[in-house]
């Protein structure tokens, strides 16, 4: 794999030195891993959804138990909706986990890449009600747009933490978090930055639930049984459960991390991203498979080297089938595969980084999380080693995949040992 500090070709190796979480199943990696092992989930029946006409789903995955008010100066939080506040929590935790002090991250060598689907849905709703109902700007706060603009997480985090390096917004729906990590990897490899703070966030609101509802892509058959949905890969799956959360990782060059004696949680060995180039909403297994191959090629490993595949698998009818075909085509039938969305629901812009964090936890603790609620595999999703119960395993290499509207695909390959 090349020298100690550099991979083949002389590019710098990229490691994870800190992570922070706000998830429906816990806000530390220890708590999340315990939930994954014990089958605890964060899915609830959401009565507030019943106030929206023609919104069929009643299920969601909220984040509970985090106090976001009053933690940061008001002059900073005035421009932050819940999505940015969740991102701020995760980022604060990640920086502390990495052992970085403020003077260490307020440097030109430290950048940030962060995303969400489109910003704060609640703040967008409030803005539209004030402006469109009365065709007037009267009473609209000057900070309104800053809360729901597409790059609200990256812009607000940059201001809150005083980031002086490059700041990138990866607002690309369900690959927002994974593309942020990929952007961070590329920035460090190239030498443009020594450290990148990367992640994704989403807040719970009826608007994203309604978007998927219109596509008939939300779970509705289990509205009265939140324990039973979502059901990735299962014959009875009927759609996603929209959830919220945030996840941040601190990436560093291996040399930089070792120089400061930082804890190393794992290495981002490969990153691949592409586009189907065919349809805005219909997934392409060919495009998915190509993204997986790009990730493996970038990592310099073969599919046979990978010990576990963390699937995107949000429990949509067509998406799970396409992903299964792509995974079987690239990895065969012997590599263990599971989706953690049965525990968390679909956290949209947060899921890519959140699931990367879960993978780091599985590698550290030596287990594979099961696909919760997978009782009978859909025959169209067959041909894989579906993990249905927690499984002890030594995981040295893991691949995690995410896919988004627009046919945008990502693959990240992680290595436990450095």
């Amino acid at each position: 794999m090349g020298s100690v500090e550099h991979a083949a070709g002389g590019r710098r190796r990229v490691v994870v030195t800190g992570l922070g979480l706000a998830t429906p199943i816990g806000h530390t990696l220890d708590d999340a891993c315990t939930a994954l092992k014990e089958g605890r989930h964060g899915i609830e029946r959401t009565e507030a959804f019943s106030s929206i006409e023609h919104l069929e789903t009643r299920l969601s995955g909220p984040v509970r138990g985090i106090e976001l008010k009053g933690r940061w100066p008001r002059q900073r939080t005035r421009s932050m909706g819940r999505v940015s506040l969740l991102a701020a929590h995760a980022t604060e935790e990640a920086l502390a986990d990495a052992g970085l002090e403020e003077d260490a991250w307020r440097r030109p060598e430290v950048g940030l890449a962060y995303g969400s689907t489109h910003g704060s849905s609640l703040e967008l709703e409030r803005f539209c009600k004030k402006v469109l109902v009365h065709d007037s700007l009267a009473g609209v706060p000057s900070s309104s747009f800053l809360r729901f603009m597409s790059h609200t997480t990256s812009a607000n985090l940059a201001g809150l933490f005083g980031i002086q390096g490059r700041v990138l917004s990866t607002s690309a729906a369900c690959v927002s978090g994974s593309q942020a990590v990929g952007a961070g990897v590329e920035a460090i490899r190239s030498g443009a930055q020594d450290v990148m703070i990367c992640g994704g966030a989403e807040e719970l609101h009826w608007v994203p639930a309604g978007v998927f509802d219109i596509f008939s892509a939300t779970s509705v058959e289990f509205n009265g049984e939140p324990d039973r949905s979502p059901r990735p890969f299962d014959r009875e799956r009927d759609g996603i459960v929209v959830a919220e959360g945030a996840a941040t990782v601190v990436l560093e060059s291996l040399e930089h991390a070792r120089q400061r004696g930082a804890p190393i949680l794992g290495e981002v060995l490969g990153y691949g991203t592409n586009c189907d180039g065919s349809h805005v909403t219909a997934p392409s297994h060919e495009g998915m498979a190509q993204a997986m191959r790009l990730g493996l090629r970038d990592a310099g490993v073969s599919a046979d080297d990978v010990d576990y595949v963390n699937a995107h698998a949000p429990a949509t009818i067509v998406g799970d089938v396409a992903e299964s075909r792509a995974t079987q085509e690239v990895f065969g039938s012997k590599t263990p595969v599971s989706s953690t969305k049965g525990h968390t629901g679909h956290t949209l812009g947060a899921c890519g980084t959140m699931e990367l964090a879960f993978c780091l936890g599985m590698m550290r603790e030596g287990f594979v999380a099961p696909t919760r609620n997978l009782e009978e595999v859909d025959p169209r999703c067959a041909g894989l080693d579906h993990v249905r119960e927690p499984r002890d395993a030594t995981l040295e290499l893991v691949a995690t995949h995410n896919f988004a509207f627009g046919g945008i695909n990502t693959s990240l390959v992680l290595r436990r040992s450095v």
Side-chain angles (χ1 to χ4, degrees):
M1 292 290 178
S3 70
V4 172
E5 308 294 350
H6 295 82
R11 71 187 188 188
R12 300 203 297 177
R13 294 170 63 184
V14 180
V15 294
V16 182
T17 58
L19 63 86
L21 295 170
T23 87
I25 60 171
H27 313 315
T28 68
L29 190 57
D30 287 344
D31 288 346
C33 285
T34 299
L36 292 172
K37 291 176 183 176
E38 296 180 353
R40 289 191 284 106
H41 66 91
I43 310 305
E44 301 179 6
R45 180 177 170 86
T46 306
E47 296 301 336
F49 284 178
S50 63
S51 65
I52 307 301
E53 291 186 13
H54 304 296
L55 177 61
E56 300 297 329
T57 189
R58 294 291 182 271
L59 301 179
S60 72
V63 167
R64 305 288 189 194
I66 292 181
E67 182 55 58
L68 298 173
K69 293 182 178 180
R71 283 177 54 177
W72 303 283
R74 185 174 179 274
Q75 63 266 33
R76 292 297 183 190
T77 60
R78 287 176 59 193
S79 59
M80 300 170 72
R82 180 170 172 83
V83 64
S84 292
L85 292 171
L86 287 168
H89 166 84
T91 301
E92 189 173 74
E93 294 295 310
L95 291 168
D97 192 44
L100 284 171
E101 302 292 339
E102 186 170 354
D103 61 347
W105 74 66
R106 287 179 175 266
R107 299 168 58 87
E109 296 81 14
V110 179
L112 180 143
Y114 222 94
S116 63
T117 297
H118 69 90
S120 173
S121 296
L122 176 60
E123 299 302 330
L124 177 62
E125 177 192 5
R126 288 172 173 169
F127 177 86
C128 290
K129 282 182 175 178
K130 280 184 175 291
V131 174
L132 301 181
V133 171
H134 302 291
D135 291 328
S136 172
L137 293 173
V140 176
S142 59
S143 60
S144 287
F145 173 75
L146 303 177
R147 297 173 186 168
F148 67 78
M149 62 186 182
S150 60
H151 67 306
T152 187
T153 54
S154 57
N156 277 296
L157 290 177
L160 181 64
F161 293 102
I163 303 302
Q164 297 178 19
R166 64 176 59 185
V167 172
L168 305 172
S169 177
T170 55
S171 294
C174 312
V175 298
S176 298
S178 51
Q179 284 203 327
V181 172
V185 167
E186 292 175 342
I188 293 170
R189 281 179 177 172
S190 71
Q193 307 282 188
D194 290 329
V195 180
M196 285 291 290
I197 302 162
C198 305
E202 206 70 57
E203 70 178 51
L204 187 62
H205 191 268
W206 63 263
V207 165
V211 168
F212 286 99
D213 213 72
I214 291 170
F215 285 109
S216 299
T218 53
S219 179
V220 299
E221 296 299 323
F222 301 97
N223 279 341
E225 300 176 282
D227 285 347
R228 298 189 63 202
S229 193
R231 310 175 67 84
F233 299 126
D234 191 78
R235 182 193 288 268
E236 293 188 17
R237 73 189 183 285
D238 70 326
I240 73 170
V241 173
V242 171
E244 67 176 351
T248 303
V249 291
V250 176
L251 304 181
E252 299 185 47
S253 71
L254 177 59
E255 180 181 18
H256 187 274
R258 284 181 167 164
Q259 282 178 347
R260 69 179 191 88
I264 295 177
L265 308 180
E267 180 176 3
V268 184
L269 198 62
Y271 170 59
T273 186
N274 71 344
C275 184
D276 295 342
S278 59
H279 197 279
V280 175
T281 59
S284 159
H285 86 271
E286 294 92 349
M288 292 175 170
Q290 179 61 13
M292 296 174 188
R293 292 189 182 99
L294 288 171
L296 293 170
R297 186 178 72 183
D298 190 54
V301 301
S302 72
D304 291 339
D305 296 324
V306 174
D307 301 307
Y308 163 64
V309 172
N310 179 262
H312 183 66
T316 57
I317 302 302
V318 296
D320 286 12
V321 173
E323 183 175 359
S324 296
R325 291 180 63 190
T327 305
Q328 199 279 333
E329 181 179 307
V330 175
F331 292 92
S333 302
K334 296 181 180 180
T335 305
V337 177
S338 69
S339 168
T340 55
K341 289 186 177 68
H343 293 77
T344 64
H346 193 351
T347 56
L348 305 177
C351 71
T353 317
M354 188 179 296
E355 288 158 9
L356 179 152
F358 293 163
C359 288
L360 291 173
M362 289 184 235
M363 289 192 287
R364 182 189 70 186
E365 299 191 15
F367 79 103
V368 173
T371 301
R372 191 177 166 277
N373 286 324
L374 179 53
E375 296 176 358
E376 183 178 358
V377 178
D378 184 335
R380 296 171 297 174
C381 296
L384 299 175
D385 178 14
H386 290 283
V387 180
R388 305 194 211 183
E389 298 292 338
R391 183 185 299 182
D392 292 337
T394 299
L395 304 177
E396 183 63 27
L397 287 175
V398 164
T400 178
H401 305 134
N402 295 102
F403 312 105
F405 280 166
I408 306 173
N409 311 309
T410 60
S411 173
L412 291 164
V413 179
L414 313 175
R415 179 162 61 186
R416 178 174 64 91
S417 301
V418 175

